[in-house]
Amino acid sequence: MANSKKMIIFDWNGTLIDDVWLNLNAINGVLEKRGIKPITTEYYRENFQFPVSLFYKELGLDVKGEWDEIAQEFGKLYIADIEKVKLFPDVVPVLEELTKAGIEVSILSAMEHKMLNRHVEMLRINKYFRFIEGIENYYAEGKTHLCRKILDESGYSENEILFVGDTCHDYETAKAAGCEAALVSRGHNTAEVLKSTGAPVFSSLSELLKKRLM
């Protein structure tokens, strides 16, 4: 594998796990409780952004007055069906290939840290990862500071790390940390939205492995 990267940092939601449907169900549950019309998968993927409070505000939610309630409601709805969330089919083969090539892998997620670790363990893939980092709360405000933390603790330079995600925020996170980004278009943002960042966009992790890392 001819590649200069020593570590790949993967986003979790929408990159390694197929959970767009669960996020959509949880958001629509919050909306319907307040008499707001539910949104479609297409609308969600075309408009989802970080911090999620901005996205929720555009949906008509009172994020200023009800933010704690909204975040807690969403969390409960998401957790209720989290056991139904699966890995994308190519995740384990790609992790195996990277491990064989001597490239370390880590996870950086806007999911709450303890929940993230429980989910990774539940899916039985924690053995692959050097770092598994989630945020400190349930508000999904962003994760740029955690990317910097992984970079500092890894011992690698910025140009030795590739950040792989599925949203524009993943690109912004990588850019803020000084790392290269690659984006996968089967998650929380569409290919068209992701291409607006200027980062390379792939349809799957298998395609990323073949075209960027092999």
Side-chain angles (χ1 to χ4, degrees), residues 60-123:
L61 292 167
D62 179 11
V63 295
K64 187 174 182 180
E66 284 192 286
W67 182 227
D68 284 343
E69 292 85 351
I70 290 169
Q72 289 174 16
E73 285 175 28
F74 176 91
K76 288 179 181 178
L77 291 167
Y78 186 96
I79 293 171
D81 282 329
I82 196 171
E83 292 185 4
K84 297 178 183 178
V85 174
K86 306 298 183 183
L87 296 167
F88 285 107
D90 58 0
V91 169
V92 171
V94 167
L95 293 177
E96 287 283 353
E97 285 294 322
L98 293 172
T99 299
K100 289 177 183 177
I103 299 176
E104 292 191 309
V105 291
S106 295
I107 294 173
L108 174 58
S109 175
M111 182 182 280
E112 191 274 329
H113 185 72
K114 291 182 180 178
M115 185 195 305
L116 170 65
N117 276 270
R118 285 195 297 268
H119 201 195
V120 174
E121 290 176 7
M122 183 177 71
L123 294 170

Side-chain angles (χ1 to χ4, degrees), residues 53-202:
S53 57
L54 292 179
F55 178 54
Y56 289 177
K57 184 178 181 180
E58 291 182 358
L59 295 177
L61 292 167
D62 179 11
V63 295
K64 187 174 182 180
E66 284 192 286
W67 182 227
D68 284 343
E69 292 85 351
I70 290 169
Q72 289 174 16
E73 285 175 28
F74 176 91
K76 288 179 181 178
L77 291 167
Y78 186 96
I79 293 171
D81 282 329
I82 196 171
E83 292 185 4
K84 297 178 183 178
V85 174
K86 306 298 183 183
L87 296 167
F88 285 107
D90 58 0
V91 169
V92 171
V94 167
L95 293 177
E96 287 283 353
E97 285 294 322
L98 293 172
T99 299
K100 289 177 183 177
I103 299 176
E104 292 191 309
V105 291
S106 295
I107 294 173
L108 174 58
S109 175
M111 182 182 280
E112 191 274 329
H113 185 72
K114 291 182 180 178
M115 185 195 305
L116 170 65
N117 276 270
R118 285 195 297 268
H119 201 195
V120 174
E121 290 176 7
M122 183 177 71
L123 294 170
R124 299 180 180 179
I125 58 169
N126 48 305
K127 66 180 181 179
Y128 293 104
F129 301 102
R130 179 175 172 187
F131 300 105
I132 301 175
E133 292 286 348
I135 63 172
E136 301 86 355
N137 54 53
Y138 293 91
Y139 299 142
E141 294 164 331
K143 54 197 176 186
T144 302
H145 63 298
L146 292 175
C147 188
R148 189 73 242 178
K149 178 184 177 184
I150 291 178
L151 198 154
D152 291 342
E153 293 181 4
S154 71
Y156 297 128
S157 62
E158 290 88 344
N159 61 9
E160 292 177 315
I161 292 179
L162 177 68
F163 191 99
V164 178
D166 69 305
T167 66
C168 293
H169 178 62
D170 291 318
Y171 168 76
E172 294 162 359
T173 297
K175 185 176 180 181
C179 302
E180 183 182 349
L183 302 174
V184 181
S185 61
R186 61 188 179 188
H188 293 259
N189 281 149
T190 64
E192 290 72 21
V193 171
L194 295 176
K195 288 175 182 177
S196 70
T197 66
V201 178
F202 302 89

Side-chain angles (χ1 to χ4, degrees), residues 19-34:
D19 74 335
V20 170
W21 65 271
L22 182 52
N23 277 267
L24 185 67
N25 288 351
I27 288 170
N28 279 337
V30 172
L31 293 174
E32 289 172 13
K33 182 177 179 180
R34 290 160 177 80

